Structures are given as C-alpha cells and as structure tokens.
Amino acid sequence: MAPTKQAIRQSITLKGSTDLVTEFFKYAVNTILFQRGVYPADDFHMVKKYGQTVLITQDLALENYLENTWLLTGAVTQLVVAIISKDSRTPLERWVFDINLVSNPPRGLPDTQPCKPEAEIQAEIRSILKQIVSTVTFLPIIDEPTVFNILAYTHESADVPANEWVDTDPLAIEASKSQQVKLRSFSTDAHRIEAMVSYRYEG
C-alpha cells in the first residue's frame, strides 16, 4: 500500500528535526568545551550560526563523531557531556540533554498542528547557547586538566553501534556534592530538548 501523505509528512518532519537536533548538539558540545577550557582556545575557529558567532573545534575526528549520533531511530533518550578530571577521573560537571519525541496524532487522523517556524526554533537554540556561555558566571573555576566523555542513554531495545559505543560508568556526581541548574529548552515539530547542568560543589 502506498504511504499516506500524513505518513510522508511525518517522516520528513522527523528527518529534518533530527538534523536540527544533531546540529544543535554539535554546537552545544563545542560551546561547552570552549567555555570550560577542555580544549585550548587556539583549537577553535569562529563560524556564523543561528544569527550569532559560535566557536567550533578544528578537531575533525570530534566533529565527525558529533555528527554520527543515531537520533533518527528514536533510540536515544538522553545525551550527556561529562567533564572529568584528567588525573583523578573525578566527575566535575554533567551537561544533560533530554531528548523527547513529540507524539504524532493517531494514524488516520489529520495533523492540524501548524509547523513550527524554523526562525522560532533557531531563536530558542540561540538562547540555550547564550545561556551555556553565561554559566561561567556561576560554575566553579576549573583549574586542572580535564577530559570529557559523551554518554548516550537509550531504550533497552536500541540497536547501538557496537564499534562506536560501549557500556560505561554514568560518571555521576555524588548527590551530597552536586548542584544543579536547569537550562532553557527548545522544540521542533518532532523533538523537545530539555537541558540542565550539574556540577561538583565542595563548599
């Protein structure tokens, strides 16, 4: 049976939304790595995106890695950027991005929801990136060498690329030493992204 117009539209919406979310995650990770000093400032170059200047690392391996998430399957429910001490391996920060698929109307019913304008989506993304930059005003200063891990949380039935991802420690920060700050969110016609950062606080 030929696919219905509604099914075709939803497929295109999901693919386009996945591209937007994947692209956002790439720029968000790069912004975090720059602002938190994980990579030297000289490793970044400026590009124009979302109507503002953003910094991108010149590490092509990292760029390719960030563009290779498998969001399209709907398997990934959360992505985490964990910044850890290079020497002690102590988790210092966890940048958490919850990925929620927006429910589509039941098959056979018309989709009366208007498409969300891309300009509105970009404005929401711009606000999140600016908020990530502003976190340096309250996050503890990191005065030691750090590295980072990207953690992907998936549904139990997810078909995870075995050659790229492995089971790992969640790199959680002890509750008694953790502070959390909720960041802004953004949504497309197919996804809603909620963001927050938790950080080690010894005060």
Side-chain angles (χ1 to χ4, degrees):
M1 186 175 74
T4 65
K5 290 183 179 180
Q6 179 186 344
I8 293 173
R9 178 185 180 277
Q10 289 174 357
S11 175
I12 294 173
T13 298
L14 180 59
K15 177 64 170 67
S17 177
T18 298
D19 291 343
L20 283 170
V21 172
T22 302
E23 185 178 65
F24 158 75
F25 188 62
K26 178 180 76 171
Y27 288 111
V29 170
N30 275 275
T31 301
I32 292 167
L33 297 182
F34 177 79
Q35 294 296 330
R36 305 312 289 149
V38 178
Y39 282 2
D42 290 345
D43 284 2
F44 294 83
H45 65 278
M46 293 185 294
V47 298
K48 291 288 289 185
K49 191 66 183 177
Y50 309 121
Q52 64 184 26
T53 300
V54 293
L55 290 155
I56 293 291
T57 176
Q58 300 180 71
D59 185 340
L60 294 180
L62 174 61
E63 185 171 349
N64 292 334
Y65 180 77
L66 293 175
E67 291 178 346
N68 197 25
T69 56
W70 68 107
L71 292 172
L72 186 58
T73 63
V76 177
T77 59
Q78 187 182 86
L79 286 166
V80 177
V81 181
I83 298 178
I84 59 181
S85 167
K86 184 176 181 179
D87 297 326
S88 69
R89 311 303 291 184
T90 301
L92 303 177
E93 295 175 3
R94 293 179 93 251
W95 297 78
V96 180
F97 300 89
D98 288 320
I99 304 168
N100 302 296
L101 279 174
V102 177
S103 298
N104 289 315
R107 185 179 296 276
L109 292 182
D111 185 358
T112 58
Q113 191 73 15
C115 292
K116 187 170 184 177
E118 187 168 345
E120 184 178 341
I121 297 171
Q122 290 195 3
E124 292 176 354
I125 292 175
R126 192 159 54 243
S127 294
I128 297 179
L129 295 179
K130 287 181 177 179
Q131 193 174 25
I132 291 174
V133 172
S134 71
T135 57
V136 297
T137 61
F138 64 81
L139 289 176
I141 296 173
I142 299 177
D143 56 3
E144 60 179 303
T146 56
V147 293
F148 75 99
N149 278 2
I150 295 178
L151 313 177
Y153 290 80
T154 68
H155 298 298
E156 290 185 7
S157 59
D159 185 14
V160 179
N163 60 329
E164 299 173 15
W165 299 82
V166 296
D167 290 338
T168 186
D169 185 285
L171 300 173
I173 302 172
E174 306 95 298
S176 61
K177 298 180 179 179
S178 175
Q179 298 284 329
Q180 297 184 355
V181 176
K182 184 174 175 58
L183 304 177
R184 296 180 186 274
S185 63
F186 83 92
S187 63
T188 68
D189 290 328
H191 293 95
R192 181 170 180 81
I193 310 300
E194 305 278 352
M196 61 87 67
V197 57
S198 61
Y199 58 94
R200 180 173 295 276
Y201 181 71
E202 304 282 0

